[in-house]
Amino acid sequence: MRYILSPSLLAADIGHLAEEVKTVEKAGAQYLHLDVMDGHFVPSLSFGPPAIASLRRQTSLIFDVHLMVEDADRYLTDFVKAGADVITVHAEAVTHLDRTLYAIRKLGLKAGVALNPATPLSVLDWVLPMADMVLLMTVNPGFGGQKYIDYCNEKIRALRALIRERGLQTDIEVDGGVTLGNVESVLDAGANVIVSGSAVFGGDTAANAAAFLDILRKREARP
Ligand code: DX5
Ligand code: ZN
């Protein structure tokens, strides 16, 4: 299995965004996690397509766009034009999940489905084969720097079992409260795409990213 680090830009120093991005890219991160918030689905506001388009010119990292917005369908082409590579929508915020996943793939991107901690895995029953990635929120979405919700490990484990049973290769991305202290247990549970905001960009960004990547590479090297 491939293991991926997706540092969340939300926690980066906004005055030095391009430098922060270059630092994680140089350290070896493969994705850049971009949290888009609309002030409706989640209480916060973050950034949108213009900011992403500007960063697109600074890096070749894979842009992993996490839409925490209502009516995501309205914005899909804007994010494609801005340079998104993966677009993840929330099952709770999209009325016609099947149609939205189909639309993302038709635009030539990878499609992801995000689930809040309280949302059961059963919403994936019929659409799992249409998703390249499932993002399990391990905090309630809206803010960086929150504490990992422990029952989520069991949910990751159940999702990995489901993916395996169905013979799929779906990535499991885990988002919220992941630190160097708990990432091993998140990986043990079956996640392979790790989002981390404050634990990467808080303090020495290069050293933090390198430490996460060291753990991920060791996993990948396991037989
Ligand atoms: C929360 C966002 C996360 C956030 C993670 O709503 O979806 O991506 O940036 O930040 P940390 O790693 O600080 O919990
Ligand atoms: Zn996110």
Side-chain angles (χ1 to χ4, degrees):
M1 198 174 334
R2 50 185 203 139
Y3 289 91
I4 292 164
L5 180 64
S6 191
S8 175
L9 195 74
L10 203 61
D13 178 355
I14 198 121
H16 300 93
L17 277 191
E19 283 160 50
E20 293 268 71
V21 169
K22 283 177 185 152
T23 302
V24 294
E25 183 169 24
K26 211 168 142 211
Q30 303 94 330
Y31 284 11
L32 184 67
H33 189 78
L34 298 152
D35 287 305
V36 178
M37 303 179 177
D38 68 349
H40 290 276
F41 177 62
V42 290
S44 317
L45 292 160
S46 59
F47 47 78
I52 294 174
S54 167
L55 282 172
R56 185 69 291 175
R57 296 188 282 275
Q58 306 287 330
T59 174
S60 49
L61 284 168
I62 291 173
F63 277 9
D64 169 30
V65 176
H66 177 192
L67 295 184
M68 282 164 277
V69 304
E70 288 175 2
D71 210 358
D73 299 29
R74 278 172 57 198
Y75 307 105
L76 296 180
T77 49
D78 293 338
F79 285 106
V80 175
K81 284 188 200 141
D85 297 292
V86 185
I87 292 185
T88 297
V89 295
H90 268 264
E92 306 86 354
V94 160
T95 312
H96 305 288
L97 185 56
D98 174 279
R99 184 159 66 200
T100 305
L101 294 174
Y102 180 80
I104 296 170
R105 281 186 163 179
K106 195 146 185 259
L107 287 163
L109 272 67
K110 292 212 163 148
V113 184
L115 306 185
N116 285 337
T119 303
L121 294 177
S122 58
V123 300
L124 298 170
D125 279 356
W126 298 103
V127 292
L128 193 56
M130 300 179 68
D132 300 287
M133 182 167 87
V134 176
L135 183 163
L136 293 181
M137 286 301 314
T138 43
V139 298
N140 289 293
F143 308 95
Q146 302 181 77
K147 191 186 168 303
Y148 188 90
I149 298 173
D150 286 324
Y151 67 71
C152 293
N153 274 3
E154 203 178 322
K155 192 174 179 187
I156 300 168
R157 211 167 274 122
L159 177 60
R160 182 52 76 199
L162 195 71
I163 289 169
R164 221 174 266 137
E165 266 164 38
R166 294 182 63 171
L168 298 166
Q169 303 290 327
T170 322
D171 286 324
I172 300 182
E173 179 170 58
V174 165
D175 185 8
V178 181
T179 64
L180 284 165
N182 64 11
V183 65
E184 296 274 11
S185 64
V186 171
L187 294 166
D188 287 344
N192 68 307
V193 183
I194 299 295
V195 176
S196 183
S198 20
V200 168
F201 291 107
D204 185 338
T205 302
N208 295 336
F212 271 105
L213 284 157
D214 190 45
I215 293 170
L216 297 179
R217 286 194 194 109
K218 281 187 184 133
R219 288 275 161 163
E220 203 157 285
R222 279 189 193 177

